[in-house]
Amino acid sequence: MRSFLKDTKEGLESSSSFASRLATKWLAKKIIFFRELTSTQDEIKKYIFTGENGLVVWADRQTQGRGRLSRNWYSPRAAGLYFSLLLKEPLARPLPLYGLATAIGVAKALEEVVKIPFQLKWPNDILLRGRKVGGILLEAVSPALIIGIGINVSFRREDFPPEIKEKATSIFEETGLLISRARILRAVLKKLEDYYELLLKEGFPALEKEWQERDVALGGRVVLRRGDQVLTGFSLGPSSDGALLLKTPQGLLKVHSGEILMWEVPGWEKHRAA
Ligand code: BTN
């Protein structure tokens, strides 16, 4: 039985129109929607032991939305999608691959709905025309993996805080289209289910081509921050465990965590980080 629970002043109430149009088998069999949360990551953690595999927590607004590298994730009411998934079993592949699979699933769903190409930037940023339109936060909290997804849907450029104004964008800013968040979320959940199943069955090869087709930095020179270090080299894309392969003057480096600050694809203009 699929269920969609909405928070009200009295508690959680069942509501079904969103769920009845969702085509997934096991992902998002249960969705809990909140008008406001600090962060969907915090809320879903309450269900680590009791929640079913595939549980989704979705919020209309977050007051303390979190991004990678201890950043804030700007989450005003109704302008974006902010949700988290609980993946419990079987988590048989290296965890970073779930981030790559999520980014591919989100990009493919957006391409289906918006009908324009989206790009990916390691480890799991979703870009539109070189600017960040979506991000993914992975948190492993045994026995589950929590995957938080944020997508900028209808933000106006002037709404973004000054520090991200130049680097971030929204679907509306780039296309002029106001697309329903429910429609986007349904498409994303369906694609995520497909890619998590593919990842489990076939491993990294199931993702490699889809990633490479969208990777903004593949084969180009990149500047990358890893902790306090700044590394430069040529990006060879993610390896089979999800780490980034970087060809540097000192040899081949495997980067397990970090952030691409700048990337340059031969013949293209130089981009700053999204
Ligand atoms: C990034 O820095 O790119 C990751 C951003 C992840 C944002 C989402 S919004 C839903 C979930 N709840 C959070 O607090 N963060 C993630």
Side-chain angles (χ1 to χ4, degrees), residues 193-210:
E193 183 177 87
D194 293 347
Y195 275 93
Y196 296 148
E197 287 181 359
L198 258 176
L199 174 61
L200 187 62
K201 215 164 98 196
E202 298 172 21
F204 179 65
L207 310 179
E208 201 170 6
K209 186 166 161 282
E210 298 287 4

Side-chain angles (χ1 to χ4, degrees), residues 99 206 261:
L261 298 175

Side-chain angles (χ1 to χ4, degrees), residues 38-42 57 59 62 64-75 81-85 124-126 132 134-139 146-151:
T38 51
S39 158
T40 55
Q41 298 288 100
D42 297 340
V57 169
Q62 298 184 118
Q64 289 166 46
R66 289 189 270 118
R68 288 182 68 239
L69 309 170
S70 312
R71 297 201 176 113
N72 298 325
W73 187 260
Y74 181 56
S75 318
L81 271 167
Y82 323 113
F83 60 102
S84 298
L85 321 169
N124 33 44
D125 286 351
I126 297 113
K132 183 155 168 170
I136 292 158
L137 182 64
L138 292 192
E139 291 185 278
I146 293 175
I147 304 184
I149 301 169
I151 303 173

